[in-house]
Amino acid sequence: MYRYDQYDQAIVDARVDEFRDQVERRLSGQLSEDQFKPLRLMNGLYLQLHAYMLRVAIPYGTLDSRQMRMLAGIARDYDRGYGHFTTRQNLQFNWIKLADTPDILARLATVQMHAIQTSGNCIRNISADQYAGAAADEVADPRPWAELIRQWSTFHPEFSYLPRKFKFAVIAAEEDRAAMRLHDIGIRLVTRDGELGASIYVGGGMGRTPMISHLVRDFVGSDDLMSYLEACLRVYNRYGRRDNIYKARIKILLHEIGADEYRRQVEEEFLLVKQLGIDPPRAELERITAMFAPPAFDPAAPDAVDRSDPDFAVWLDQNVAAHKQPGYAIVNVSLKPIGGIPGDADADQIALLADLGAAYSFDELRVTHAQNIVLPHVAKRDLYAVWRRLTKAGLAEPNLDLITDIIACPGLDYCSLANARSIPLAQKIATRFADRQRELGELKLKISGCINACGHHHAGHIGILGVDKKGTENYQLSLGGSGAQDVSLAKITGPGFSEDGVVDAIERVTDRYLATREPGERFLDTYRRVGFEPFKDAIYG
Amino acid sequence: MVDAPLRFRDDEPHDEPAVTLDAFLGQSNATAVRLEAGEDARALLPQIGQIALVEVSFPSFRDGRGYSAARVLREAGYTGELRAAGDVLVDQLPLMRRCGFDSFAPEAPIDPEALQRSLDRYDYRYQPAADGIVPVWKLRHG
């Protein structure tokens, strides 16, 4: 994985110094909260309902054991012993004191981590396929490209005060595990005439106006990538709306002027920008790519796995994915124990994951946008040992992509923007369906506690949106969304429900699915085949 | 603006008051122009040679259109004074300098010590911009 050189380290160290200065000016009263707010936001520090929340960047969701252990230590020393993994592959600490943040950042910097641009109207942490470097279906590891973009976008002088936040995702496989089409810019690496390049999709997003991105350029070679992205962002920075924050994302610009007109403007700008010499030489991509070389796999690692322990076999079938290297597997560690808080892990669990990464996965871990953890390179002969240790720590729930593997935002329990609680609802749903989840098969359920859609409800096979209805929490149900390669936006079923009412409504939906499905059909397949009406009838009929 | 602008240029401040973009495009002899946040800096390019001062308005520190306006002007070869005026904060000045601004008329006074610390803080930058700083990738590869 990527390692800092003296330049990267100097930049992150300077950022710690800068933020310490800003916090001191705030604490001494030189800065008002109004003036401080944009500065702390640019560094991932939010003021939530009960405390400050610090969001730590995990670039493209990749981290090593030392970094994971550092997160456990910070959870212990500065938080209440927990970390919360987010849908942007980051980690949030929910109980932080402002005066501690410079020290936390200084500790993070010792393991090449930071909170740069994890909030604010700037280019956010770059996300990527969590199976990068391990998946058989990728044309290349997408992370070197993501790292190039990370460096280009870090403290970008022109794009730090965009109309609104800006999210990139980079993948390199046919299967989309990163919800790439629902990002401001999504990149899929492809090959053309033997050369690797990027297909650029622009204008996707969730929020209150969900949209699927448009293919704006089918191929940009690595020599032109920065110029092309600079052109994409410049057109947005100049012409994106600033009169209404709800219409300020790039998706609205594309919607208003049309993808063709946006493309035309970008191409025109690209011709100018390309003259400026802002593209790093190919040697820079090669330098970064070398750091993502495959680990030293054992070519003799056996492929056979002893399935005699039935509980292990269930987990193996549900949470372990195929690896491109014979004898190895990708382990998904569920952070969705039945009745737990989706995406949360306590300090001991985080430290255990660090240990497992070091012992069994070539020192690498990944965070997924579905708020789980991946051990990307586990030898099959070690799977049973890994499973036993995960089981002991409460981390072996075999529910990947099942109805209890819920994405949920922090909701009204933490978030100052929320209208409704997400966590208790997620807990109720998981508890209700735990004994049926395997029968229901793949069913992605996503909950957002407000219209900002941090819980990706538009992309849920079943999506739930919490709203405030005359002072009480109310939940709208939607069906048929997908953030994967078969991307689609979910459709609202009709009037909303109380917390218990929405759980009952989901049960009517899943009952109708079980009664309607044809062999081999996932919920989403059945929904697409029979349409919305039969489910609507089941819910309200 | 009562205070003199904060300048990072050696030449004498330009006296002529800045005219609006519309006025500039309608009268061919003005040498100072004020661009409002939404106005197209490229409209100035046909007559850029006669301009000695462009003042770019920042109605709110959140409104970042002026950063692109500055880049567009510098990339087109404009070498006159480029002033950021309005809601300009100390922590934004280093980015504005990178985009080519060399003069500042902030609404609220800027603490000179905080400004100096802010300008001196970063030894390295990842990306080239309008300030001629050598980016990290060039330091790595020559």
Short mmCIF file of all heavy atoms in Angstrom, two decimals, chain A residues 422-481:
data_model
loop_
_atom_site.label_atom_id
_atom_site.label_comp_id
_atom_site.label_asym_id
_atom_site.label_seq_id
_atom_site.Cartn_x
_atom_site.Cartn_y
_atom_site.Cartn_z
N SER A 422 -32.00 6.53 13.29
CA SER A 422 -31.76 5.43 12.35
C SER A 422 -31.35 4.17 13.10
O SER A 422 -31.71 3.06 12.72
CB SER A 422 -30.62 5.80 11.39
OG SER A 422 -30.89 6.99 10.72
N ILE A 423 -30.55 4.36 14.15
CA ILE A 423 -29.93 3.21 14.82
C ILE A 423 -30.98 2.28 15.47
O ILE A 423 -30.95 1.07 15.23
CB ILE A 423 -28.87 3.69 15.83
CG1 ILE A 423 -27.68 4.32 15.07
CG2 ILE A 423 -28.38 2.54 16.70
CD1 ILE A 423 -26.71 5.08 15.96
N PRO A 424 -31.92 2.82 16.27
CA PRO A 424 -32.88 1.91 16.90
C PRO A 424 -33.73 1.17 15.86
O PRO A 424 -34.08 0.01 16.07
CB PRO A 424 -33.76 2.83 17.75
CG PRO A 424 -32.99 4.09 17.90
CD PRO A 424 -32.12 4.22 16.70
N LEU A 425 -34.01 1.84 14.75
CA LEU A 425 -34.79 1.18 13.70
C LEU A 425 -33.98 0.04 13.08
O LEU A 425 -34.50 -1.07 12.87
CB LEU A 425 -35.20 2.20 12.63
CG LEU A 425 -35.98 1.63 11.45
CD1 LEU A 425 -37.27 0.94 11.92
CD2 LEU A 425 -36.31 2.73 10.44
N ALA A 426 -32.71 0.31 12.81
CA ALA A 426 -31.83 -0.75 12.27
C ALA A 426 -31.80 -1.94 13.23
O ALA A 426 -31.85 -3.11 12.81
CB ALA A 426 -30.43 -0.21 12.03
N GLN A 427 -31.74 -1.65 14.52
CA GLN A 427 -31.69 -2.73 15.51
C GLN A 427 -32.98 -3.54 15.51
O GLN A 427 -32.96 -4.77 15.58
CB GLN A 427 -31.41 -2.12 16.89
CG GLN A 427 -29.99 -1.54 16.98
CD GLN A 427 -29.76 -0.67 18.21
OE1 GLN A 427 -30.63 0.08 18.62
NE2 GLN A 427 -28.56 -0.77 18.78
N LYS A 428 -34.11 -2.85 15.39
CA LYS A 428 -35.40 -3.56 15.37
C LYS A 428 -35.54 -4.44 14.13
O LYS A 428 -36.02 -5.57 14.20
CB LYS A 428 -36.56 -2.55 15.37
CG LYS A 428 -36.98 -2.14 16.77
CD LYS A 428 -38.27 -1.33 16.75
CE LYS A 428 -38.55 -0.87 18.18
NZ LYS A 428 -39.62 0.10 18.27
N ILE A 429 -35.13 -3.88 12.99
CA ILE A 429 -35.25 -4.65 11.74
C ILE A 429 -34.36 -5.89 11.81
O ILE A 429 -34.79 -7.00 11.47
CB ILE A 429 -34.89 -3.76 10.52
CG1 ILE A 429 -35.93 -2.66 10.36
CG2 ILE A 429 -34.79 -4.60 9.26
CD1 ILE A 429 -35.53 -1.57 9.36
N ALA A 430 -33.12 -5.68 12.27
CA ALA A 430 -32.19 -6.82 12.34
C ALA A 430 -32.75 -7.90 13.26
O ALA A 430 -32.69 -9.10 12.96
CB ALA A 430 -30.82 -6.35 12.82
N THR A 431 -33.32 -7.48 14.37
CA THR A 431 -33.85 -8.45 15.32
C THR A 431 -35.06 -9.19 14.73
O THR A 431 -35.17 -10.41 14.83
CB THR A 431 -34.24 -7.72 16.62
OG1 THR A 431 -33.11 -6.98 17.08
CG2 THR A 431 -34.66 -8.71 17.69
N ARG A 432 -35.94 -8.46 14.06
CA ARG A 432 -37.13 -9.07 13.48
C ARG A 432 -36.78 -10.11 12.41
O ARG A 432 -37.43 -11.15 12.30
CB ARG A 432 -38.03 -7.98 12.88
CG ARG A 432 -39.23 -8.46 12.08
CD ARG A 432 -40.43 -8.81 12.95
NE ARG A 432 -40.97 -7.65 13.62
CZ ARG A 432 -42.04 -6.95 13.20
NH1 ARG A 432 -42.68 -7.32 12.11
NH2 ARG A 432 -42.46 -5.91 13.88
N PHE A 433 -35.76 -9.82 11.60
CA PHE A 433 -35.51 -10.68 10.44
C PHE A 433 -34.33 -11.63 10.60
O PHE A 433 -34.00 -12.35 9.67
CB PHE A 433 -35.32 -9.81 9.18
CG PHE A 433 -36.57 -9.12 8.76
CD1 PHE A 433 -36.83 -7.81 9.15
CD2 PHE A 433 -37.52 -9.79 8.00
CE1 PHE A 433 -38.00 -7.17 8.78
CE2 PHE A 433 -38.69 -9.16 7.62
CZ PHE A 433 -38.94 -7.85 8.01
N ALA A 434 -33.71 -11.62 11.76
CA ALA A 434 -32.47 -12.40 11.93
C ALA A 434 -32.66 -13.87 11.55
O ALA A 434 -31.82 -14.45 10.86
CB ALA A 434 -31.98 -12.29 13.37
N ASP A 435 -33.77 -14.47 11.96
CA ASP A 435 -33.91 -15.91 11.70
C ASP A 435 -34.41 -16.21 10.28
O ASP A 435 -34.53 -17.36 9.89
CB ASP A 435 -34.82 -16.56 12.76
CG ASP A 435 -36.17 -15.88 12.83
OD1 ASP A 435 -36.39 -14.91 12.06
OD2 ASP A 435 -37.01 -16.30 13.65
N ARG A 436 -34.72 -15.19 9.51
CA ARG A 436 -35.20 -15.39 8.14
C ARG A 436 -34.23 -14.85 7.09
O ARG A 436 -34.51 -14.92 5.90
CB ARG A 436 -36.51 -14.60 7.95
CG ARG A 436 -37.75 -15.38 8.18
CD ARG A 436 -38.92 -14.43 8.21
NE ARG A 436 -38.95 -13.68 9.48
CZ ARG A 436 -39.84 -12.73 9.75
NH1 ARG A 436 -40.75 -12.40 8.86
NH2 ARG A 436 -39.82 -12.11 10.91
N GLN A 437 -33.14 -14.26 7.55
CA GLN A 437 -32.33 -13.50 6.59
C GLN A 437 -31.73 -14.36 5.49
O GLN A 437 -31.64 -13.94 4.34
CB GLN A 437 -31.24 -12.71 7.31
CG GLN A 437 -30.32 -13.54 8.18
CD GLN A 437 -29.24 -12.67 8.79
OE1 GLN A 437 -28.88 -11.64 8.24
NE2 GLN A 437 -28.72 -13.07 9.93
N ARG A 438 -31.36 -15.59 5.84
CA ARG A 438 -30.73 -16.43 4.84
C ARG A 438 -31.76 -16.88 3.79
O ARG A 438 -31.46 -16.97 2.60
CB ARG A 438 -30.08 -17.64 5.53
CG ARG A 438 -28.67 -17.92 5.05
CD ARG A 438 -27.88 -18.75 6.03
NE ARG A 438 -27.75 -18.06 7.30
CZ ARG A 438 -26.98 -16.98 7.48
NH1 ARG A 438 -26.25 -16.50 6.48
NH2 ARG A 438 -26.91 -16.38 8.65
N GLU A 439 -32.97 -17.13 4.25
CA GLU A 439 -34.04 -17.50 3.32
C GLU A 439 -34.32 -16.34 2.34
O GLU A 439 -34.61 -16.56 1.17
CB GLU A 439 -35.30 -17.83 4.14
CG GLU A 439 -36.46 -18.33 3.29
CD GLU A 439 -37.76 -18.37 4.08
OE1 GLU A 439 -37.77 -18.01 5.27
OE2 GLU A 439 -38.79 -18.75 3.47
N LEU A 440 -34.21 -15.12 2.83
CA LEU A 440 -34.50 -13.96 1.99
C LEU A 440 -33.38 -13.66 0.99
O LEU A 440 -33.60 -12.99 -0.01
CB LEU A 440 -34.74 -12.72 2.86
CG LEU A 440 -36.03 -12.74 3.69
CD1 LEU A 440 -36.03 -11.60 4.69
CD2 LEU A 440 -37.25 -12.65 2.77
N GLY A 441 -32.19 -14.14 1.27
CA GLY A 441 -31.08 -13.95 0.33
C GLY A 441 -30.62 -12.51 0.27
O GLY A 441 -30.88 -11.70 1.18
N GLU A 442 -29.90 -12.17 -0.83
CA GLU A 442 -29.35 -10.82 -0.93
C GLU A 442 -30.47 -9.78 -0.88
O GLU A 442 -31.38 -9.79 -1.69
CB GLU A 442 -28.57 -10.66 -2.24
CG GLU A 442 -27.95 -9.27 -2.36
CD GLU A 442 -27.27 -9.03 -3.70
OE1 GLU A 442 -26.39 -9.83 -4.07
OE2 GLU A 442 -27.61 -8.03 -4.36
N LEU A 443 -30.37 -8.89 0.10
CA LEU A 443 -31.39 -7.86 0.24
C LEU A 443 -30.75 -6.68 0.97
O LEU A 443 -30.52 -6.71 2.16
CB LEU A 443 -32.59 -8.41 1.04
CG LEU A 443 -33.95 -7.79 0.70
CD1 LEU A 443 -35.06 -8.52 1.41
CD2 LEU A 443 -34.00 -6.31 1.00
N LYS A 444 -30.45 -5.66 0.22
CA LYS A 444 -29.70 -4.54 0.78
C LYS A 444 -30.67 -3.48 1.31
O LYS A 444 -31.40 -2.86 0.54
CB LYS A 444 -28.75 -3.96 -0.26
CG LYS A 444 -27.71 -5.00 -0.71
CD LYS A 444 -26.71 -4.42 -1.68
CE LYS A 444 -25.75 -5.52 -2.14
NZ LYS A 444 -24.75 -5.03 -3.09
N LEU A 445 -30.63 -3.31 2.62
CA LEU A 445 -31.55 -2.39 3.29
C LEU A 445 -30.75 -1.21 3.85
O LEU A 445 -29.74 -1.41 4.53
CB LEU A 445 -32.31 -3.13 4.39
CG LEU A 445 -33.51 -2.38 4.97
CD1 LEU A 445 -34.61 -3.36 5.34
CD2 LEU A 445 -33.13 -1.55 6.18
N LYS A 446 -31.19 0.00 3.54
CA LYS A 446 -30.41 1.19 3.88
C LYS A 446 -31.31 2.25 4.49
O LYS A 446 -32.37 2.53 3.97
CB LYS A 446 -29.70 1.71 2.63
CG LYS A 446 -28.99 0.57 1.88
CD LYS A 446 -28.11 1.01 0.75
CE LYS A 446 -27.62 -0.24 0.00
NZ LYS A 446 -26.40 -0.08 -0.71
N ILE A 447 -30.82 2.84 5.58
CA ILE A 447 -31.64 3.78 6.36
C ILE A 447 -30.94 5.13 6.49
O ILE A 447 -29.80 5.21 6.94
CB ILE A 447 -31.89 3.24 7.79
CG1 ILE A 447 -32.47 1.82 7.74
CG2 ILE A 447 -32.80 4.19 8.56
CD1 ILE A 447 -32.56 1.17 9.11
N SER A 448 -31.65 6.18 6.12
CA SER A 448 -31.16 7.54 6.36
C SER A 448 -32.10 8.25 7.33
O SER A 448 -33.32 8.16 7.20
CB SER A 448 -31.13 8.35 5.05
OG SER A 448 -30.34 7.73 4.07
N GLY A 449 -31.51 9.01 8.24
CA GLY A 449 -32.31 9.72 9.23
C GLY A 449 -32.74 11.11 8.80
O GLY A 449 -33.37 11.83 9.56
N CYS A 450 -32.35 11.49 7.58
CA CYS A 450 -32.87 12.73 7.01
C CYS A 450 -32.64 12.69 5.52
O CYS A 450 -32.01 11.80 4.98
CB CYS A 450 -32.22 13.97 7.65
SG CYS A 450 -30.62 14.41 6.95
N ILE A 451 -33.13 13.71 4.87
CA ILE A 451 -33.16 13.76 3.42
C ILE A 451 -31.77 13.85 2.78
O ILE A 451 -31.59 13.61 1.60
CB ILE A 451 -34.07 14.95 3.01
CG1 ILE A 451 -34.57 14.82 1.59
CG2 ILE A 451 -33.36 16.27 3.26
CD1 ILE A 451 -35.81 15.62 1.35
N ASN A 452 -30.76 14.13 3.58
CA ASN A 452 -29.41 14.19 3.03
C ASN A 452 -28.89 12.83 2.59
O ASN A 452 -27.88 12.75 1.89
CB ASN A 452 -28.45 14.84 4.01
CG ASN A 452 -28.77 16.32 4.17
OD1 ASN A 452 -28.89 17.05 3.19
ND2 ASN A 452 -28.96 16.76 5.40
N ALA A 453 -29.53 11.76 3.03
CA ALA A 453 -29.31 10.43 2.46
C ALA A 453 -27.93 9.84 2.74
O ALA A 453 -27.42 9.05 1.95
CB ALA A 453 -29.59 10.45 0.95
N CYS A 454 -27.34 10.19 3.88
CA CYS A 454 -26.04 9.58 4.23
C CYS A 454 -26.15 8.07 4.37
O CYS A 454 -25.16 7.36 4.24
CB CYS A 454 -25.51 10.17 5.54
SG CYS A 454 -25.18 11.92 5.40
N GLY A 455 -27.35 7.57 4.67
CA GLY A 455 -27.54 6.13 4.78
C GLY A 455 -27.92 5.46 3.46
O GLY A 455 -28.30 4.30 3.45
N HIS A 456 -27.76 6.21 2.35
CA HIS A 456 -27.90 5.64 0.99
C HIS A 456 -29.26 5.00 0.73
O HIS A 456 -29.36 4.04 -0.03
CB HIS A 456 -26.80 4.57 0.75
CG HIS A 456 -25.42 5.14 0.68
ND1 HIS A 456 -24.34 4.37 0.27
CD2 HIS A 456 -24.92 6.36 0.96
CE1 HIS A 456 -23.24 5.11 0.31
NE2 HIS A 456 -23.57 6.32 0.73
N HIS A 457 -30.34 5.54 1.33
CA HIS A 457 -31.62 4.86 1.17
C HIS A 457 -32.11 4.83 -0.28
O HIS A 457 -32.84 3.94 -0.67
CB HIS A 457 -32.69 5.51 2.07
CG HIS A 457 -33.03 6.92 1.72
ND1 HIS A 457 -32.26 7.99 2.13
CD2 HIS A 457 -34.05 7.45 0.99
CE1 HIS A 457 -32.81 9.11 1.67
NE2 HIS A 457 -33.88 8.82 0.98
N HIS A 458 -31.68 5.80 -1.10
CA HIS A 458 -32.08 5.77 -2.51
C HIS A 458 -31.51 4.56 -3.24
O HIS A 458 -32.01 4.16 -4.28
CB HIS A 458 -31.56 7.02 -3.25
CG HIS A 458 -32.09 8.31 -2.70
ND1 HIS A 458 -33.43 8.62 -2.69
CD2 HIS A 458 -31.45 9.37 -2.13
CE1 HIS A 458 -33.58 9.83 -2.16
NE2 HIS A 458 -32.40 10.30 -1.80
N ALA A 459 -30.41 4.03 -2.72
CA ALA A 459 -29.74 2.91 -3.38
C ALA A 459 -30.07 1.58 -2.71
O ALA A 459 -29.46 0.57 -3.02
CB ALA A 459 -28.22 3.14 -3.38
N GLY A 460 -31.02 1.59 -1.79
CA GLY A 460 -31.38 0.35 -1.11
C GLY A 460 -32.35 -0.48 -1.94
O GLY A 460 -33.26 0.07 -2.56
N HIS A 461 -32.14 -1.78 -1.94
CA HIS A 461 -33.21 -2.65 -2.48
C HIS A 461 -34.48 -2.29 -1.71
O HIS A 461 -35.56 -2.17 -2.27
CB HIS A 461 -32.87 -4.12 -2.27
CG HIS A 461 -31.64 -4.57 -2.98
ND1 HIS A 461 -31.13 -5.84 -2.88
CD2 HIS A 461 -30.79 -3.92 -3.83
CE1 HIS A 461 -30.04 -5.96 -3.63
NE2 HIS A 461 -29.81 -4.80 -4.20
N ILE A 462 -34.29 -2.13 -0.39
CA ILE A 462 -35.31 -1.50 0.44
C ILE A 462 -34.65 -0.30 1.10
O ILE A 462 -33.60 -0.43 1.74
CB ILE A 462 -35.85 -2.47 1.51
CG1 ILE A 462 -36.57 -3.65 0.85
CG2 ILE A 462 -36.78 -1.74 2.48
CD1 ILE A 462 -37.11 -4.68 1.82
N GLY A 463 -35.25 0.86 0.91
CA GLY A 463 -34.68 2.07 1.52
C GLY A 463 -35.67 2.67 2.50
O GLY A 463 -36.88 2.58 2.31
N ILE A 464 -35.12 3.25 3.55
CA ILE A 464 -35.98 3.90 4.53
C ILE A 464 -35.46 5.31 4.79
O ILE A 464 -34.26 5.51 5.02
CB ILE A 464 -36.01 3.11 5.85
CG1 ILE A 464 -36.57 1.71 5.60
CG2 ILE A 464 -36.84 3.84 6.91
CD1 ILE A 464 -36.38 0.77 6.75
N LEU A 465 -36.35 6.26 4.73
CA LEU A 465 -36.01 7.65 5.01
C LEU A 465 -36.79 8.12 6.23
O LEU A 465 -38.02 8.05 6.24
CB LEU A 465 -36.35 8.53 3.80
CG LEU A 465 -36.31 10.05 4.06
CD1 LEU A 465 -34.91 10.51 4.42
CD2 LEU A 465 -36.82 10.82 2.84
N GLY A 466 -36.07 8.57 7.24
CA GLY A 466 -36.72 9.11 8.43
C GLY A 466 -37.02 10.58 8.23
O GLY A 466 -36.17 11.35 7.77
N VAL A 467 -38.26 10.97 8.50
CA VAL A 467 -38.64 12.38 8.39
C VAL A 467 -39.31 12.81 9.69
O VAL A 467 -39.66 11.99 10.53
CB VAL A 467 -39.61 12.62 7.19
CG1 VAL A 467 -38.92 12.29 5.88
CG2 VAL A 467 -40.88 11.80 7.34
N ASP A 468 -39.45 14.11 9.81
CA ASP A 468 -40.14 14.64 10.97
C ASP A 468 -41.55 15.01 10.53
O ASP A 468 -41.72 15.85 9.65
CB ASP A 468 -39.38 15.88 11.47
CG ASP A 468 -40.10 16.55 12.62
OD1 ASP A 468 -39.85 16.16 13.76
OD2 ASP A 468 -40.92 17.46 12.36
N LYS A 469 -42.54 14.35 11.12
CA LYS A 469 -43.91 14.66 10.73
C LYS A 469 -44.61 15.25 11.94
O LYS A 469 -44.96 14.53 12.86
CB LYS A 469 -44.60 13.38 10.25
CG LYS A 469 -45.87 13.64 9.48
CD LYS A 469 -46.46 12.34 8.96
CE LYS A 469 -47.83 12.58 8.35
NZ LYS A 469 -48.50 11.32 8.04
N LYS A 470 -44.75 16.54 11.92
CA LYS A 470 -45.39 17.27 13.03
C LYS A 470 -44.83 16.85 14.38
O LYS A 470 -45.57 16.54 15.31
CB LYS A 470 -46.91 17.06 12.99
CG LYS A 470 -47.54 17.65 11.74
CD LYS A 470 -49.02 17.31 11.66
CE LYS A 470 -49.59 17.73 10.31
NZ LYS A 470 -50.70 16.88 9.89
N GLY A 471 -43.51 16.80 14.45
CA GLY A 471 -42.89 16.54 15.75
C GLY A 471 -42.70 15.07 16.09
O GLY A 471 -42.09 14.76 17.11
N THR A 472 -43.19 14.15 15.26
CA THR A 472 -42.90 12.74 15.53
C THR A 472 -42.12 12.14 14.38
O THR A 472 -42.23 12.57 13.22
CB THR A 472 -44.19 11.91 15.74
OG1 THR A 472 -45.00 12.06 14.58
CG2 THR A 472 -44.96 12.36 16.97
N GLU A 473 -41.33 11.13 14.72
CA GLU A 473 -40.51 10.48 13.71
C GLU A 473 -41.40 9.61 12.82
O GLU A 473 -42.22 8.86 13.31
CB GLU A 473 -39.44 9.62 14.37
CG GLU A 473 -38.41 10.46 15.11
CD GLU A 473 -37.64 9.66 16.15
OE1 GLU A 473 -38.16 9.47 17.27
OE2 GLU A 473 -36.54 9.22 15.82
N ASN A 474 -41.17 9.75 11.53
CA ASN A 474 -41.98 9.02 10.57
C ASN A 474 -41.04 8.45 9.51
O ASN A 474 -40.03 9.07 9.19
CB ASN A 474 -42.98 10.01 9.94
CG ASN A 474 -44.01 9.32 9.07
OD1 ASN A 474 -43.82 9.17 7.88
ND2 ASN A 474 -45.09 8.88 9.69
N TYR A 475 -41.36 7.27 9.02
CA TYR A 475 -40.42 6.60 8.12
C TYR A 475 -41.08 6.28 6.78
O TYR A 475 -42.10 5.61 6.72
CB TYR A 475 -39.91 5.31 8.78
CG TYR A 475 -39.08 5.61 10.01
CD1 TYR A 475 -39.67 5.66 11.27
CD2 TYR A 475 -37.72 5.89 9.91
CE1 TYR A 475 -38.93 5.96 12.41
CE2 TYR A 475 -36.97 6.20 11.03
CZ TYR A 475 -37.57 6.23 12.27
OH TYR A 475 -36.83 6.55 13.38
N GLN A 476 -40.45 6.79 5.72
CA GLN A 476 -40.93 6.51 4.36
C GLN A 476 -40.18 5.30 3.82
O GLN A 476 -38.96 5.21 3.95
CB GLN A 476 -40.66 7.69 3.44
CG GLN A 476 -41.54 8.88 3.71
CD GLN A 476 -41.20 10.05 2.81
OE1 GLN A 476 -40.24 10.02 2.05
NE2 GLN A 476 -42.01 11.10 2.90
N LEU A 477 -40.93 4.44 3.18
CA LEU A 477 -40.35 3.22 2.64
C LEU A 477 -40.18 3.38 1.13
O LEU A 477 -41.06 3.93 0.46
CB LEU A 477 -41.32 2.07 2.95
CG LEU A 477 -40.86 0.64 2.72
CD1 LEU A 477 -39.63 0.32 3.58
CD2 LEU A 477 -42.00 -0.31 3.06
N SER A 478 -39.05 2.91 0.60
CA SER A 478 -38.90 2.91 -0.85
C SER A 478 -38.29 1.58 -1.28
O SER A 478 -37.65 0.89 -0.49
CB SER A 478 -38.06 4.10 -1.31
OG SER A 478 -36.85 4.16 -0.62
N LEU A 479 -38.52 1.26 -2.54
CA LEU A 479 -38.12 -0.06 -3.05
C LEU A 479 -37.39 0.06 -4.38
O LEU A 479 -37.66 0.97 -5.17
CB LEU A 479 -39.38 -0.93 -3.28
CG LEU A 479 -40.29 -1.19 -2.08
CD1 LEU A 479 -41.53 -1.95 -2.55
CD2 LEU A 479 -39.56 -1.97 -1.00
N GLY A 480 -36.48 -0.87 -4.63
CA GLY A 480 -35.94 -1.04 -5.97
C GLY A 480 -34.67 -0.27 -6.29
O GLY A 480 -34.29 -0.17 -7.44
N GLY A 481 -34.00 0.25 -5.29
CA GLY A 481 -32.75 0.95 -5.57
C GLY A 481 -31.57 0.00 -5.62
O GLY A 481 -31.64 -1.13 -5.13
#
